[in-house]
Amino acid sequence: MRISTLFYVIGQGFRNLTRNRWYTLASVATISACLFLFGMFYAIVQNFQNIVTEAEKGVSVTVFFGEDVTEDMILVIKAALEKRPEVERIEYISAEAAWEEFKVDYLKEYADGFTENPLEDSASLAIYLNDVSMQPALVTYLESLPDVRKVNRSEMTASMLSGMNRLIAAISLGIILVLLLVSIFLISNTVRFGISVRREEINIMKYIGATDFFVRAPFVIESILIGIIGSMIPLVVTYFLYNQVILYVHNHFSILSSLLTFLPVEQVMDKLVPATVLIGVGIGLIGSITTVRRHLHV
Amino acid sequence: MERGFRRRQVRRQPEDEVITLEGVTKSYSSGAPALNCVDLHIKQGEFVFIVGVSGSGKSTLIRLLLRELVPTEGSIYVMGYDLNRIRHSQIPKFRRKLGVVFQDFRLLPDRNVYENVAFAQRIVQTPAREIRKRVPSVLAMVGLAGKYKSKIKELSGGEKQRVAIARALVNRPEILLADEPTGNLDPANSREVMRLMEQINENGTTVVVVTHDKEMVNRMQKRVIELDQGDLISDEEMGVYHDED
């Protein structure tokens, strides 16, 4: 193909945008709205996952050992457990440290009445996981160890966090898929309208001897351009809106500020920009190619 | 590849013919066939009128020659291409060797005269430099050199048809097919358009004009092929139109 033909075809794609400008505007607006919602859901999911990940880091399994298990033996078990992939880190809490902490937390000045450490057998390991969903398997393993007396776990928190994470991801994926299908349907309608408006021109092109590529390419380019423009607008809006929303939450829901740690806008945009542009181009490609094939028999 | 394809097809078409129909029947889903076992042979450089009343099969014949339709029975060869067997990807190359003119002009109303003619060259991927040379010369040939910037809606019917002829000629076709080219024109413009067709024919292009304009056919004294209800009923050199209306 000649370079001049390529430029001509691309030029026609641009020209198509202005030929039916109201339809183009409607398509861009709807795709922008869909991709804006996509961006919002993405930002929410990203932030929620960040909050969950942070929360997961605080979830631990506490292991207590039998009376005859020495500190050295506990440290050997600790070293063995640290090799397991789901384990992020393990803290050893000696019986003395446990008693000191108990005194500070609960007894305060009344602690002076105790001459011996009542928590003598309470040396423990606090195991922090990098994946809370692995907690039940780890607990089963720990309980099977002969030296282990008791395993304290926060299964409720662990399963709730990982479950909520999965639920939010699934709901978001579902909503995003519906939005994408709506966008593809819309762009397909734009192309179909464009074909019906230009039916005469297409027939002339066919009689003169235009190839399938020459007839179809401007419609595909037009749709890709609509997809790109439709993806740029929500990205700009999201960029400026994101910080405003965080500021609003901090100012009006200060009680949440300590619980919620929001990601910086740069970190969200890092993946959102290529994802949105790719989806915009993808919507344009899928919407136009399928429609052009179905409605443009050349 | 194309040369080989053409050689393979030429064996079935006499060398001096550009259009060959052998026992061509075209039936639609219901009713009598639009064309009924038609044999037709048109040689390189001929000027031929195809005449007949509405429903005689003229439009079906044009659509078959453009490979817009395929015959129900029989064979069609145009410029060496076997239109029954031509591959889909070969159809654009085949059509580039034909120039087509329609009664309703079929111009692009949002472009000017120059762009309408250049459009045909862009489609066949002619280099831009050649387009800039060729389009003005074809517009000069049809007498529209001074109107290359005009919008289509500013032109008269005769001028629109001349733009359509310029567009059909710009790619130097071997055959010019004209479907009722004077149907929307007054007598003066009709004569002007037909004079242009004769001039094109004198330059070596085969011209096939489908019409029911009795006065024009009888005046020009060319080969006349008459269709009636799908049958080819007469084929006369320097013929006349026997329409009884």
Side-chain angles (χ1 to χ4, degrees), chain B residues 16-17 40-51 201 206-207 217-226 232-242:
Chain B
D16 57 342
E17 289 183 11
L40 177 63
H41 301 270
I42 296 175
K43 289 181 179 163
Q44 167 73 42
E46 275 195 280
F47 192 119
V48 180
F49 281 115
I50 295 173
V51 299
N201 178 241
T206 308
V207 176
V217 172
N218 292 343
R219 180 168 42 81
M220 288 186 67
Q221 298 282 298
K222 301 286 185 187
R223 181 181 171 192
V224 179
I225 293 164
E226 189 168 355
L232 196 158
I233 57 168
S234 72
D235 183 352
E236 295 174 7
E237 294 294 336
M238 298 181 68
V240 287
Y241 188 179
H242 300 291

Side-chain angles (χ1 to χ4, degrees), chain A residues 2 19 204 207 209 298, chain B residues 68 88 96 106 111 125:
Chain A
R2 287 179 187 280
R19 275 186 193 150
I204 294 167
Y207 286 130
V298 292
Chain B
E68 202 182 327
H88 179 77
R96 288 170 194 181
R106 299 198 188 174
R111 298 180 210 189
Q125 303 192 29

Side-chain angles (χ1 to χ4, degrees), chain B residues 167-186:
Chain B
R167 185 183 63 193
L169 290 179
V170 75
N171 289 328
R172 297 182 176 88
E174 289 182 35
I175 301 172
L176 180 66
L177 284 179
D179 188 5
E180 304 279 5
T182 57
N184 282 348
L185 305 181
D186 58 38

Side-chain angles (χ1 to χ4, degrees), chain A residues 1-2 4-5 8 12 15 19 200-201 203-214 297-298, chain B residues 66 68 88 92 95-96 100 102 106-108 110-111 119-120 122-128 167 171:
Chain A
M1 186 178 38
R2 287 179 187 280
S4 58
T5 305
Y8 179 77
Q12 287 303 304
R15 220 183 134 138
R19 275 186 193 150
E200 183 70 18
E201 181 181 337
N203 280 338
I204 294 167
M205 288 165 89
K206 283 163 62 182
Y207 286 130
I208 294 172
T211 56
D212 291 2
F213 168 82
F214 200 92
H297 301 290
V298 292
Chain B
L66 284 167
E68 202 182 327
H88 179 77
R95 286 182 179 157
R96 288 170 194 181
V100 198
F102 297 96
R106 299 198 188 174
L107 300 171
L108 303 173
D110 61 330
R111 298 180 210 189
F119 175 67
R122 291 212 174 89
I123 280 174
V124 301
Q125 303 192 29
T126 307
R167 185 183 63 193
N171 289 328

Side-chain angles (χ1 to χ4, degrees), chain B residues 15-227:
Chain B
E15 288 228 348
D16 57 342
E17 289 183 11
V18 286
I19 295 174
T20 307
L21 274 72
E22 290 170 352
V24 170
T25 296
K26 178 63 191 177
S27 302
Y28 296 105
S29 52
S30 61
L35 278 182
N36 190 22
C37 202
V38 169
D39 287 318
L40 177 63
H41 301 270
I42 296 175
K43 289 181 179 163
Q44 167 73 42
E46 275 195 280
F47 192 119
V48 180
F49 281 115
I50 295 173
V51 299
V53 294
S54 292
S56 59
K58 304 190 304 286
S59 297
T60 298
L61 178 60
I62 284 275
R63 293 177 72 191
L64 285 167
L65 293 176
L66 284 167
R67 189 36 176 83
E68 202 182 327
L69 298 174
V70 284
T72 315
E73 280 175 42
S75 309
I76 304 179
Y77 302 95
V78 179
M79 296 173 293
Y81 287 91
D82 180 345
L83 297 195
N84 288 15
R85 294 184 180 182
I86 188 169
R87 278 180 285 135
H88 179 77
S89 60
Q90 288 283 332
I91 293 173
K93 282 180 186 167
F94 158 69
R95 286 182 179 157
R96 288 170 194 181
K97 294 181 178 178
L98 291 172
V100 198
V101 176
F102 297 96
Q103 178 177 359
D104 54 358
F105 321 125
R106 299 198 188 174
L107 300 171
L108 303 173
D110 61 330
R111 298 180 210 189
N112 63 24
V113 169
Y114 180 94
E115 275 303 317
N116 264 278
V117 180
F119 175 67
Q121 292 224 284
R122 291 212 174 89
I123 280 174
V124 301
Q125 303 192 29
T126 307
R129 202 176 336 118
E130 202 181 317
I131 294 175
R132 285 194 292 272
K133 269 167 59 182
R134 176 75 179 150
V135 174
S137 85
V138 177
L139 283 175
M141 184 186 155
V142 298
L144 288 173
K147 294 213 166 186
Y148 72 99
K149 276 187 179 172
S150 300
K151 293 263 166 60
I152 295 303
K153 63 182 176 194
E154 295 165 359
L155 303 178
S156 69
E159 287 171 329
K160 284 179 187 168
Q161 196 57 292
R162 280 188 278 159
V163 176
I165 292 170
R167 185 183 63 193
L169 290 179
V170 75
N171 289 328
R172 297 182 176 88
E174 289 182 35
I175 301 172
L176 180 66
L177 284 179
D179 188 5
E180 304 279 5
T182 57
N184 282 348
L185 305 181
D186 58 38
N189 273 312
S190 293
R191 276 194 293 277
E192 184 57 31
V193 164
M194 291 319 295
R195 189 196 59 74
L196 200 53
M197 295 273 184
E198 266 191 306
Q199 190 187 327
I200 291 159
N201 178 241
E202 281 160 14
N203 289 337
T205 305
T206 308
V207 176
V208 177
V209 179
V210 171
T211 186
H212 63 265
D213 187 338
K214 190 176 175 182
E215 186 270 325
M216 180 181 73
V217 172
N218 292 343
R219 180 168 42 81
M220 288 186 67
Q221 298 282 298
K222 301 286 185 187
R223 181 181 171 192
V224 179
I225 293 164
E226 189 168 355
L227 295 173

Side-chain angles (χ1 to χ4, degrees), chain A residues 175-189:
Chain A
I175 292 170
I176 287 164
L177 275 177
V178 170
L179 291 176
L180 291 183
L181 287 176
V182 169
S183 302
I184 289 171
F185 173 75
L186 284 166
I187 210 150
S188 155
N189 261 357

